[in-house]
Amino acid sequence: MVFDKKYLVVVIGLFVIFITSGLAAQIGLVIEPIADQYDVSLAGVGSIFSFLTGGLLLGNFLAIFIFDYVSFRTFFVAGYTLLLLALIGLVGSENIVSLSICLAVIGVVCGIGMCGGASIMTKLFDGNKRQVVLVAQDAIYNLSGAIIPLTTGFIMSIGLSWSWGYLSLGVFVLPVIVLSLLVLGKFDFGLNQSNESEDEGETEWNIGIVSIACCLFLYMMAQLMLVIWLPQYAIQEFSIERESADTLISNIFSAALISTLIAVYVVYKIRILYFLYFVVSLGLLSIIGLLLAESSESLFLLSYLLGIAFSATFNSLVVYGLLFVAKPSHKNVTFLMLMAGLGGALAPFISSLLVDWFATPKSVIFLAAGEYFIIIVTLLWSNLKGVEVRNSVAAVY
């Protein structure tokens, strides 16, 4: 029974990732409808989504200590009930203020939930199983990114409001609540029991994990900026119809999904740093290709390559970062998630400023290319300079 429940807990974590991805993947599709509904500029709508990404960041921060006082069961039941109410609130939102409040609440709950899910994976699994499970989360992330934009596009095509696309995620919120009630018992499989070896004073920190945290910051900022502005870039630079431009996001996540399924096997066989070299390098080349593209056909091809580059990158960086500490604690995991959340939180604000200043989404593509270049340099430095990998599974990966 414990074995069965252990993997049902994993299902909760995967639904949490699916929901969070679905929230972000829709942003590029709904910017224009929101601008029309509330009579604000595109850049203004982009900055409004800082409430969502900022909420994710705040949730990541709260997750550092919230699970010391609140059980996983209590949070996932109460928190995701609140999330469901906020999604319903988006449908009835009549002004920017109520929209921003709902987005902030959604972001906070999902931010805490993502860290909670990652902590569960870290606690329940170790070695190669931990790596495979964490990378599998990327598959779910990409699956959501492929499905939800298509769902939202269909919803808007039949005349419903963009907000119903967000409400559709409620179908996946309900299982989180129900499974948490049924599966997460009093002791949460020891996840909430105190562990003296993991108190704050004994949590290990070093330049290795900090440098990878910075990579996560840059990666999430670059990824979310591309998801937000690539459809608008296609419309402005190549005069592509809105419906066709929106499919770029589904193309990215569809390719990422297929690639991630392959990556789950690949990272089991090779050192994870080599996998990161490949996907980050491909990402940089794809982004440069977006800047040099001369036709809409090449843009769509590059969207698939960019999707391959997105495959399993996030959780591979998390796994690689955790290799730098001997005994990863929930504080190490949350720190990595917090830095990724900070990058995601700043993405709408910074990208909106760039679009406002330069009057073109192309400026955002340039910044994303620069961020990917820094990630590659950091990964090379961590290897060539001999930054010590402490975790025992490093020999395998």
Side-chain angles (χ1 to χ4, degrees), residues 10 47 51-52 84 121 151 208 220 228-229 282 324 340 350 387:
V10 173
S47 63
F51 286 95
L52 174 63
L84 184 60
M121 306 304 180
T151 303
M220 285 305 297
I228 293 173
W229 292 105
L282 180 61
F324 289 95
I350 292 177
V387 177

Side-chain angles (χ1 to χ4, degrees), residues 125-131 204 206 271-272 319-328 388-397:
F125 300 96
D126 56 15
N128 57 354
K129 288 185 178 180
R130 176 192 294 167
Q131 177 162 315
E204 183 180 355
N206 55 53
R271 190 181 177 194
I272 199 165
V319 171
Y320 184 57
L322 293 177
L323 293 180
F324 289 95
V325 295
K327 294 182 179 180
E388 186 180 10
V389 177
R390 294 289 303 280
N391 197 296
S392 60
V393 300
V396 180
Y397 306 115

Side-chain angles (χ1 to χ4, degrees), residues 224-239:
L224 190 53
M225 288 193 305
L226 290 170
V227 169
I228 293 173
W229 292 105
L230 187 57
Q232 202 62 36
Y233 173 70
I235 292 171
Q236 290 190 11
E237 297 292 328
F238 299 94
S239 300

Side-chain angles (χ1 to χ4, degrees), residues 41 48 54 88 92 97 180 203-204 221-222 231 259-260 277 288 291 298 320 322 339 395:
S41 66
I48 288 171
I88 296 173
V97 174
S180 297
T203 298
E204 183 180 355
M221 181 183 292
S259 301
T260 301
Y277 283 156
I288 293 174
L291 294 170
S298 59
Y320 184 57
L322 293 177
M339 289 297 291

